Amino acid sequence: MPAQIDIKELHWLLDIVQCLDVGVIVLDRAYRIEVWNSFMENHSGLGSDEVQGHNLFELFTEVDEAWFRRKVETVVQLGTRAFSLWEQRPYLLHFKSYQPITGQADFMYQNVTILPLAAMGEIEHVCVMLYDMTDAAMHKLGH
């Protein structure tokens, strides 16, 4: 019998996801946004109510759709995580860099992790996590 999560624990988990200094997006198999945490709201300027149910590629045309679909399909087929480092691809979503002191980057360099989310053995969603790597990129690039 699967473990039951009580409503209090669910609220704690949702609070944690909202407070992470990491972007969290949950997409269904049609690439519609179901979860959009406060990191994503703050950096995109779009609230979760504005993006929920919308297709990622329609809202963010800068996403390399063919590349991203291949990544997600691999995650779904293999049931394992996939990664993209800023050195390979500087960003998934083109966000402004928020470096208050140096301000040397024109955009936020991002590492990306894509996780399969299974319900009843079926992978129906993926979680995309965006990590702001701008400081590390600026240091490595000598800025």
Side-chain angles (χ1 to χ4, degrees):
M1 179 172 212
Q4 296 289 323
I5 295 179
D6 71 28
I7 197 73
K8 188 165 56 172
E9 288 175 341
L10 181 61
H11 282 285
W12 290 344
L13 291 172
L14 291 173
D15 283 346
I16 291 168
V17 168
Q18 285 301 331
C19 293
L20 291 174
D21 196 25
V22 170
V24 176
I25 310 165
V26 174
L27 301 171
D28 68 12
R29 297 292 288 119
Y31 297 89
R32 288 183 300 253
I33 298 167
E34 294 200 6
V35 173
W36 189 257
N37 76 343
S38 57
F39 177 99
M40 297 305 297
E41 290 182 359
N42 294 337
H43 291 284
S44 71
L46 298 170
S48 59
D49 56 331
E50 297 173 84
V51 300
Q52 197 163 19
H54 290 277
N55 181 281
L56 179 74
F57 305 119
E58 291 171 7
L59 288 175
F60 298 94
T61 56
E62 73 270 17
V63 175
D64 182 339
E65 185 172 346
W67 171 83
F68 189 69
R69 283 182 183 273
R70 279 193 309 274
K71 280 283 204 195
V72 169
E73 289 309 312
T74 300
V75 166
V76 170
Q77 288 174 3
L78 300 178
T80 59
R81 292 180 280 188
F83 306 92
S84 176
L85 302 176
W86 68 266
E87 293 98 336
Q88 301 163 321
R89 181 174 296 272
Y91 58 83
L92 176 66
L93 302 177
H94 193 274
F95 291 161
K96 289 181 184 173
S97 171
Y98 289 96
Q99 299 220 318
I101 298 171
T102 58
Q104 295 168 329
D106 294 331
F107 56 86
M108 178 193 293
Y109 287 83
Q110 300 160 2
N111 282 355
V112 179
T113 301
I114 305 169
L115 309 163
L117 299 176
M120 311 283 266
E122 198 74 24
I123 298 172
E124 297 175 1
H125 295 85
V126 294
C127 176
V128 180
M129 299 174 66
L130 296 181
Y131 303 87
D132 182 354
M133 299 303 295
T134 308
D135 286 339
M138 291 297 95
H139 179 73
K140 189 170 183 177
L141 296 172
H143 292 282

